[in-house]
Amino acid sequence: MVYTQETKTIRNILKWAITTLKEAEIDSPGINADALLAFVLSCDRTNLYTNPDEILNDSDISRYKKLINKRIGHVPLQYITHHVEFMSLDFFVDERVLIPRPETEILVETVMNKAHDKQYSNKKVTLMDIGTGSGNIAVSLAKNLSNVEIYASDISQEALAIAMTNVQRHKVVDNVHLLHGDLFDTFSSHIEKGNVDFIVSNPPYVSESEWKNLEPELRDHEPYEALVGGKDGLCLYRQIIEDAVAWLKPEGYLVIEIGETQATTIIKLMKNDGHYEDIEIIKDLQGKERVISARR
């Protein structure tokens, strides 16, 4: 496209971008075009529409074109802007971590609801977050619960670097302790068994066969180990359900996010374990079974 002074306006650049994204069959081309231009110009999206005739400089246009081409290559929008909103908080993300999803807010809200019960009033709540990734769950709980001590682990050192960025950004360094290790291995030098009020996790739950059929944004860009939970997608659930019992206080809760077809199998695993009561399924806004809560 050859740019004249007229075609360099916000209005015309956006029009070009939306057409280009639409032709590449990128979902929500308007939202993507707006978000990327607002990112380039360091402004709010609404500013684009209050100043549609503003002339853009060549360097901004060049940078914008590069970002649009990245998006056409199915790089997720959040990895391009390094920004995702979760629980009304702004989180930094890149390809070292899974992008937080809105449905995971249900897990956070479930824990918050239970932690506001009178049994937790006037006492410190101890919480473990297994597979913290970007730290979105741990940080959100630290921001929303007044007296909480959170131990958040991940097997990936790279993910923990991102989590630390978000812990520092939201000023919860005193409440969120980041630990490197696989599942429960790393906690023993920090917490005594039988002393945890809540264990939360959003573990990898995609099966190996499902992964091959994921959309390119997920399959080609988000970390494999944060998505795939073994051959049937349930590998980590088996370990978490079995091992959590030793760490939870009597009456403590295990709260986990699940894939939309996994509830029946995971509830069966919990019942077969014999240590869980009050097993509850919480659905997401689409009516899909999304979170399971169980009491020790």
Side-chain angles (χ1 to χ4, degrees):
M1 178 177 178
V2 178
Y3 295 106
T4 63
Q5 204 67 0
E6 279 184 12
T7 57
K8 290 181 182 180
T9 62
I10 285 175
R11 177 190 283 111
N12 286 323
I13 295 294
L14 274 178
K15 188 177 177 184
W16 163 81
I18 291 167
T19 302
T20 304
L21 290 166
K22 199 177 285 184
E23 286 172 354
E25 298 182 349
I26 299 297
D27 288 341
S28 308
I31 291 171
N32 279 267
D34 289 358
L36 288 173
L37 188 53
F39 175 66
V40 167
L41 300 177
S42 300
C43 71
D44 193 86
R45 282 173 62 192
T46 54
N47 289 12
L48 303 177
Y49 292 94
T50 52
N51 302 289
D53 297 315
E54 182 182 326
I55 306 291
L56 301 183
N57 65 50
D58 290 342
S59 63
D60 284 341
I61 291 171
S62 175
R63 186 177 171 218
Y64 185 53
K65 284 183 71 177
K66 285 177 184 171
L67 298 189
I68 291 293
N69 285 330
K70 268 191 173 184
R71 190 67 191 95
I72 287 169
H74 296 286
V75 178
L77 178 65
Q78 296 91 335
Y79 287 156
I80 298 173
T81 63
H82 300 303
H83 154 87
V84 63
E85 187 179 290
F86 182 85
M87 293 294 296
S88 301
L89 299 170
D90 181 49
F91 285 87
F92 177 90
V93 292
D94 66 18
E95 296 196 3
R96 291 174 284 178
V97 292
L98 201 69
I99 297 165
R101 302 308 201 267
E103 51 267 30
T104 303
E105 293 185 357
I106 295 162
L107 184 150
V108 173
E109 288 163 356
T110 299
V111 175
M112 284 164 54
N113 289 338
K114 294 186 182 304
H116 286 132
D117 189 274
K118 63 179 183 293
Q119 67 172 310
Y120 297 111
S121 60
N122 302 317
K123 67 185 275 291
K124 188 175 282 286
V125 174
T126 302
L127 191 146
M128 288 163 57
D129 174 20
I130 297 169
T132 195
S134 66
N136 59 302
I137 293 171
V139 169
S140 298
L141 287 168
K143 293 292 283 185
N144 284 285
L145 297 175
S146 57
N147 196 13
V148 66
E149 195 85 12
I150 299 173
Y151 297 86
S153 73
D154 206 288
I155 197 170
S156 164
Q157 289 275 27
E158 292 189 326
L160 288 171
I162 300 291
M164 179 53 78
T165 298
N166 288 314
V167 166
Q168 291 171 339
R169 171 179 286 190
H170 293 291
K171 299 179 174 59
V172 291
V173 177
D174 293 340
N175 305 90
V176 179
H177 313 287
L178 298 175
L179 309 171
H180 178 240
D182 188 16
L183 295 177
F184 292 90
D185 292 348
T186 187
F187 294 106
S188 53
S189 56
H190 300 273
I191 322 172
E192 284 187 32
K193 287 187 175 180
N195 278 287
V196 180
D197 296 292
F198 290 91
I199 295 174
V200 302
S201 186
N202 177 18
Y205 54 69
V206 175
S207 70
E208 289 174 4
S209 58
E210 285 172 333
W211 179 79
K212 293 170 187 172
N213 297 315
L214 291 175
E215 58 268 26
E217 275 85 353
L218 266 169
R219 190 188 63 242
D220 298 341
H221 295 282
E222 300 203 42
Y224 177 89
E225 64 277 6
L227 285 167
V228 179
K231 195 171 183 65
D232 63 357
L234 295 167
C235 176
L236 276 80
Y237 290 103
R238 292 187 183 93
Q239 291 178 261
I240 291 169
I241 289 165
E242 183 180 344
D243 294 346
V245 173
W247 292 91
L248 285 168
K249 289 178 181 177
E251 308 279 299
Y253 286 94
L254 173 62
V255 185
I256 48 179
E257 182 169 333
I258 61 169
E260 59 186 78
T261 62
Q262 295 173 325
T264 303
T265 307
I266 290 169
I267 287 172
K268 190 176 179 183
L269 288 171
M270 286 179 165
K271 286 182 175 175
N272 288 345
D273 184 274
H275 292 96
Y276 294 98
E277 299 176 5
D278 298 339
I279 300 170
E280 180 186 1
I281 300 172
I282 301 97
K283 294 182 178 180
D284 64 20
L285 294 174
Q286 280 73 47
K288 293 173 181 173
E289 296 169 330
R290 185 57 63 191
V291 168
I292 292 181
S293 162
R295 191 165 55 84
R296 162 87 164 85

